[in-house]
Amino acid sequence: MSNVLIMIPAYNEEENIERVVDHLIQNFPQYDYVVINDGSKDKTGEICRRRGYNFLDLPVNLGLAGAFQAGIRYAYAKGYECAIQLDGDGQHRPDFVGDMKKKMDEGYDIVIGSRFINEKKPMTMRMLGSNLLQFAIRITTGADIKDPTSGMRMFSRKMIREFAQGLNYGPEPDTVSYLVKQGAKVAEVPVIMDERISGTSYLTPVRAAKYMTQMLVSILLIQNFRKRDRS
Amino acid sequence: MSLLLRSVLILASVGTTLLIMRKIRKEKMMIEDSLFWIGFSFMLILFSVFPQIVFKMSELVGTQAPANFIFLFIIFVLIVRMFQMSTKISQLEAKMKDLVARIAIDENIRNEKNDPVEEMKEETNS
């Protein structure tokens, strides 16, 4: 058993999941993986069963936060030293997991796979949102996180325990901001992400606006009032 | 709008916000669900601190007194919220039914597959 677990939340990813997981199995056998089928309505679950993948089959749809927590709980129960989230659509390359693990071994709690360490952000609406979040995190915590919305995050054993047991621990920038404020050590490692090959993005303009409002209010206001009694 | 109404609105809003923060601190409420209340409190405080907004809106809508506009606003927002909650509860119930059925079916299938488990259960029960 490896001490690194790759969690792959998948919701209606029948077109991608096989390619993503097969790539992982063939080229990166040194890592353990678990697919979290988040109550998909398409054939994602069927494919996982047929191919004999290691997967958690959630009977109902919980959303990304719920699927992520299910994966984290699995990592916690199985005693993994660190867990990393990779998207089910193949945007995140497992090639960078090694780099991130190396960084984590230097004593960090969270390692973020960042697209913008060496590269400038392109001028799109999406990046405007990213900049806003980066700014919000900087003024509330003092930490400069260049790619706050990156879904490619690696968590240490200590963090796994917290995420597994806590209530407001979604895999989102506001949780990262909160944890930084509470003294967690966060580092970023440069990665390259691919465009989606198949399927549509979840982020519609309305959802994006709602997401941004929620994140900003959460980071700027709510997280300041949270306490942490676990150590 | 009387000073009394304004102060009551401010007090209620501040009270609501404090209560919500307490719930979050104690891990009794999810952040997504708290946002509505924070937004709601914010609007009420805005109305109390800048009654000009209410006067203007009242004139636009045609309510007889500005205070009536506040009532209308609150009722309207709460009805929308109630509708959203109705939908959410329906979804939750559907999910719960799914889950319960799934557990029962899984158990049935498992019992069919390997009887030893069934026997063990009976042993521990007796």
Side-chain angles (χ1 to χ4, degrees):
Chain A
M1 189 172 111
S2 159
N3 52 16
V4 180
L5 178 73
I6 297 180
M7 306 179 289
I8 310 165
Y11 177 61
N12 292 348
E13 295 284 7
E14 60 180 4
E15 294 165 61
N16 295 307
I17 195 71
E18 230 169 334
R19 176 171 47 84
V20 172
V21 179
D22 284 346
H23 175 59
L24 208 57
I25 293 173
Q26 276 158 23
N27 303 318
F28 301 92
Q30 69 269 41
Y31 307 124
D32 285 2
Y33 74 93
V34 63
V35 177
I36 302 117
N37 173 32
D38 186 15
S40 298
K41 295 200 166 51
D42 66 359
K43 290 191 181 124
T44 308
E46 208 175 290
I47 293 170
C48 291
R49 208 165 295 122
R50 179 161 48 81
R51 300 296 312 270
Y53 294 156
N54 180 34
F55 79 121
L56 301 178
D57 198 14
L58 306 187
V60 294
N61 177 256
L62 292 182
L64 180 62
F68 170 80
Q69 201 175 31
I72 280 281
R73 284 202 177 152
Y74 176 82
Y76 182 58
K78 297 272 261 181
Y80 282 99
E81 212 173 274
C82 63
I84 177 169
Q85 180 192 339
L86 291 192
D87 273 4
D89 56 16
Q91 289 186 73
H92 301 156
R93 295 188 195 170
D95 312 57
F96 297 103
V97 173
D99 288 355
M100 290 171 72
K101 171 73 175 133
K102 224 178 276 162
K103 193 80 186 171
M104 177 150 280
D105 290 339
E106 287 171 25
Y108 290 97
D109 299 309
I110 301 173
V111 177
I112 300 173
S114 171
R115 287 161 285 184
F116 312 116
I117 285 203
N118 306 316
E119 274 181 64
K120 273 233 177 287
K121 290 182 188 177
M123 290 293 286
T124 59
M125 278 304 281
R126 212 172 241 252
M127 290 311 122
L128 182 75
S130 172
N131 275 328
L132 264 175
L133 291 174
Q134 182 182 356
F135 180 69
I137 293 175
R138 194 187 310 147
I139 57 173
T140 49
T141 68
D144 190 22
I145 292 170
K146 294 200 169 61
D147 196 355
T149 55
S150 163
M152 198 174 176
R153 304 192 185 91
M154 183 181 267
F155 302 98
S156 67
R157 179 77 192 152
K158 204 172 93 192
M159 290 293 123
I160 290 175
R161 202 183 66 186
E162 263 198 75
F163 275 84
Q165 294 169 345
L167 174 67
N168 278 310
Y169 283 85
E172 301 293 353
D174 60 337
T175 311
V176 174
S177 157
Y178 162 67
L179 289 167
V180 172
K181 222 183 167 69
Q182 300 293 332
K185 288 175 77 188
V186 179
E188 284 185 286
V189 165
V191 301
I192 300 165
M193 286 187 197
D194 298 317
E195 295 296 314
R196 281 185 83 92
I197 293 178
S198 186
T200 47
S201 169
Y202 169 83
L203 222 57
T204 59
V206 178
R207 284 219 180 97
K210 207 178 148 197
Y211 174 82
M212 279 306 296
T213 327
Q214 184 181 329
M215 283 305 135
L216 286 176
V217 173
S218 180
I219 292 172
L220 294 173
L221 182 73
I222 298 173
Q223 302 297 343
N224 298 307
F225 294 91
R226 278 176 77 181
K227 65 168 178 192
R228 184 165 158 205
D229 42 17
R230 273 179 289 274
S231 55
Chain B
M1 257 168 79
S2 69
L3 198 66
L4 181 69
L5 178 61
R6 288 167 64 183
S7 346
V8 167
L9 287 181
I10 292 179
L11 278 180
S13 306
V14 171
T16 310
T17 310
L18 288 180
L19 201 72
I20 292 290
M21 291 301 180
R22 225 173 87 102
K23 290 275 176 214
I24 290 179
R25 277 172 79 94
K26 296 197 158 172
E27 301 216 317
K28 289 271 155 56
M29 187 181 225
M30 292 201 285
I31 288 170
E32 294 100 289
D33 299 323
S34 70
L35 290 172
F36 165 79
W37 294 107
I38 286 167
F40 188 58
S41 306
F42 175 76
M43 286 304 290
L44 291 190
I45 290 179
L46 196 75
F47 286 164
S48 330
V49 178
F50 303 104
Q52 303 93 311
I53 303 174
V54 182
F55 294 145
K56 195 79 206 155
M57 295 301 279
S58 175
E59 211 177 289
L60 274 173
V61 180
T63 42
Q64 288 204 333
N68 289 354
F69 174 77
I70 303 247
F71 301 148
L72 184 71
F73 173 82
I74 293 178
I75 292 173
F76 185 71
V77 170
L78 289 183
I79 287 178
V80 171
R81 185 64 185 165
M82 218 176 85
F83 177 76
Q84 285 176 342
M85 285 184 66
S86 260
T87 326
K88 195 156 185 188
I89 290 173
S90 288
Q91 285 169 354
L92 282 177
E93 240 170 78
K95 274 185 188 177
M96 196 197 67
K97 278 182 197 157
D98 268 9
L99 273 176
V100 172
R102 175 79 167 243
I103 291 173
I105 293 168
D106 279 358
E107 194 158 325
N108 179 289
I109 293 174
R110 205 172 44 232
N111 287 348
E112 255 173 28
K113 261 186 198 159
N114 44 356
D115 283 318
V117 177
E118 188 61 30
E119 281 165 24
M120 232 168 62
K121 251 192 211 160
E122 271 161 21
E123 269 173 27
T124 47
N125 281 347
S126 59

